[in-house]
Amino acid sequence: MSTPDRRRPAPLGWTRPSGPLSEAPRVSVAIPLYNEADVLPNLISRLRAVLDDLPGGPHEMVFVDDRSSDGTLQALERAAAEDPRITVVSLSRNFGHQAALSASLDHVTGDVTVLMDGDLQDPPEAIPSFVERYREGYDVVYARRLRRKESVWLRLSYFVFYRLLARMSALPLPVDAGDFSLISRRVVDVLRAAPERHRYLRGLRTWAGYRQIGIDVERSARAAGESKYSLPKLLRLAFDGLFSFTIVPLRAAGVIGAGVVVLSGAYAMYVLYARLVLSQVPEGFTTLILAITFLSGVILFFLGVIGEYVGRIYEEVKSRPVYIVDRVIREERRGP
Ligand code: UDP
Ligand code: MG
């Protein structure tokens, strides 16, 4: 199975008519899944109920199996055999949430696409209100998380991270907004054409521009199973967001360096004065050790920061595909 070329230019020909749309759009729902067999039956039945009542269509559901080991793929295959609206994309190995989500975007065919998690933390029942705002003329409708049902320290980390990133980035990144959103066909095209390997899709979505709006959606607790984001995976996502959308950490080294030069200049003058005028010889072994270890720490820290950017440049240059498809299961008559 070939993987689409991410370096192709954005197809810029498609423009949506301005103002409200009279026609109901065809909705694609894109969902990455990793070991979600416990949630899947519930997810599919709630989704089908929502799509059945949605005007327009035929709508579709695109599930990407991120190489689950708990029978998620088999359950998806059975569901796809029953419902022609279901497309299943299975990946060659576990590529991670953002890569799986990118894979789903490469397989949607609708006028609009709803990105959501497969653990029912994002309620499918919010989709009609997304579509409503789309028809009013918005290209991106994202969910603002009203309340989270996660542990205190995780909530605090999210709170701090989103605000920190929003301050540092030149983009108006919305705080407390995840991937749960509806995006129009042309925003899908922009995301598909973005060549980067370290994908922070909620940031890229903002970067795409057009008219965007957030609506409040309550974020439920996970329906079943455990979070598939281990701490390292979560940190990686946070770093991807940080290093892809701001270079403030690089600049910080310059600012701190300039500050240290000024301070040490002032201190040098004082030492000169003490020696020549007051005839004092400054002592201070402890101070010396502290200054050396502190500044070495600062230097190593910023070497690490530079290393993060360099490592990312290296990975971008390698240009490996973001994900590899094993197979695609979809009803044939709809074509590719
Ligand atoms: N997921 C995935 N690949 C992974 C990890 C997660 O496709 O390697 C999917 C997972 O099945 C779910 C979504 O990404 O549909 C969000 O993951 P999760 O709910 O575990 O993250 P959290 O809500 O805890 O941040
Ligand atoms: Mg979740």
Side-chain angles (χ1 to χ4, degrees):
M1 206 68 215
S2 67
T3 300
D5 178 13
R6 300 202 153 274
R7 294 229 174 256
R8 66 177 182 254
L12 298 173
W14 199 90
T15 45
R16 64 171 286 163
S18 61
L21 298 177
S22 54
E23 260 174 58
R26 279 191 58 217
V27 177
S28 300
V29 184
I31 306 182
L33 295 171
Y34 179 54
N35 290 344
E36 303 286 8
D38 295 340
V39 194
L40 198 58
N42 199 354
L43 171 69
I44 291 181
S45 67
R46 276 172 66 180
L47 260 178
R48 286 168 80 167
V50 169
L51 294 187
D52 285 343
D53 290 345
L54 213 57
H59 308 301
E60 68 173 356
M61 295 163 253
V62 177
F63 294 99
V64 174
D65 176 55
D66 197 9
R67 209 62 177 186
S68 306
S69 53
D70 69 342
T72 299
L73 180 60
Q74 289 71 21
L76 283 174
E77 281 177 285
R78 284 195 297 276
E82 276 172 25
D83 192 335
R85 292 176 296 182
I86 294 181
T87 297
V88 180
V89 180
S90 98
L91 300 187
S92 69
R93 65 172 171 83
N94 180 259
F95 280 91
H97 177 210
Q98 297 287 304
L101 200 53
S102 304
S104 68
L105 287 181
D106 286 334
H107 289 85
V108 294
T109 61
D111 302 318
V112 299
T113 297
V114 174
L115 313 178
M116 59 183 279
D117 284 355
D119 58 357
L120 287 172
Q121 278 193 289
D122 303 329
E125 292 73 23
I127 294 176
S129 44
F130 283 174
V131 173
E132 219 169 276
R133 304 318 291 264
Y134 168 78
R135 291 178 70 176
E136 285 168 16
Y138 292 97
D139 275 88
V140 173
V141 186
Y142 58 86
R144 261 194 313 254
R145 284 148 179 189
L146 264 192
R147 262 188 298 265
R148 286 179 177 274
K149 305 232 166 64
E150 271 123 346
S151 69
V152 176
W153 95 263
L154 205 59
R155 285 209 312 262
L156 185 75
S157 315
Y158 280 121
F159 185 87
V160 173
F161 170 73
Y162 279 127
R163 276 151 191 84
L164 204 68
L165 181 57
R167 280 204 83 113
M168 284 204 261
S169 174
L171 285 173
L173 295 170
V175 293
D176 294 324
D179 291 320
F180 190 28
S181 55
L182 174 147
I183 56 182
S184 68
R185 174 103 226 154
R186 58 179 173 177
V187 175
V188 172
D189 287 340
V190 169
L191 298 186
R192 277 185 188 169
E196 57 215 86
R197 264 117 266 279
H198 287 273
R199 300 174 82 73
Y200 184 69
L201 286 168
R202 58 198 76 167
L204 280 174
R205 185 184 64 203
T206 303
W207 172 83
Y210 302 120
R211 290 182 74 196
Q212 310 210 354
I213 192 170
I215 58 175
D216 292 339
V217 174
E218 186 146 341
R219 187 155 168 87
S220 351
R222 207 171 218 291
E226 298 204 328
S227 172
K228 304 303 179 299
Y229 259 100
S230 54
L231 190 63
K233 270 186 181 171
L234 201 59
L235 281 177
R236 219 175 301 153
L237 178 68
F239 280 161
D240 280 347
L242 197 68
F243 295 117
S244 309
F245 285 94
T246 171
I247 56 163
V248 168
L250 283 178
R251 297 223 174 100
V255 173
I256 292 179
V260 169
V261 167
V262 169
L263 278 182
S264 79
Y267 185 64
M269 304 247 239
Y270 164 74
V271 170
L272 218 58
Y273 171 78
R275 179 131 203 184
L276 298 179
V277 181
L278 310 176
S279 299
Q280 288 173 355
V281 181
E283 286 178 46
F285 180 71
T286 321
T287 322
L288 199 62
I289 296 291
L290 272 180
I292 290 176
T293 49
F294 175 73
L295 286 178
S296 311
V298 171
I299 292 169
L300 285 177
F301 177 81
F302 281 106
L303 261 184
V305 170
I306 295 170
E308 278 295 331
Y309 285 96
V310 174
R312 273 148 216 280
I313 296 170
Y314 175 57
E315 302 218 319
E316 296 298 337
V317 169
K318 279 193 291 188
S319 291
R320 289 188 187 149
V322 173
Y323 61 88
I324 297 166
V325 172
D326 178 3
R327 77 207 153 91
V328 179
I329 304 155
R330 71 174 0 148
E331 218 199 21
E332 282 314 316
R333 66 178 165 78
R334 274 186 294 164

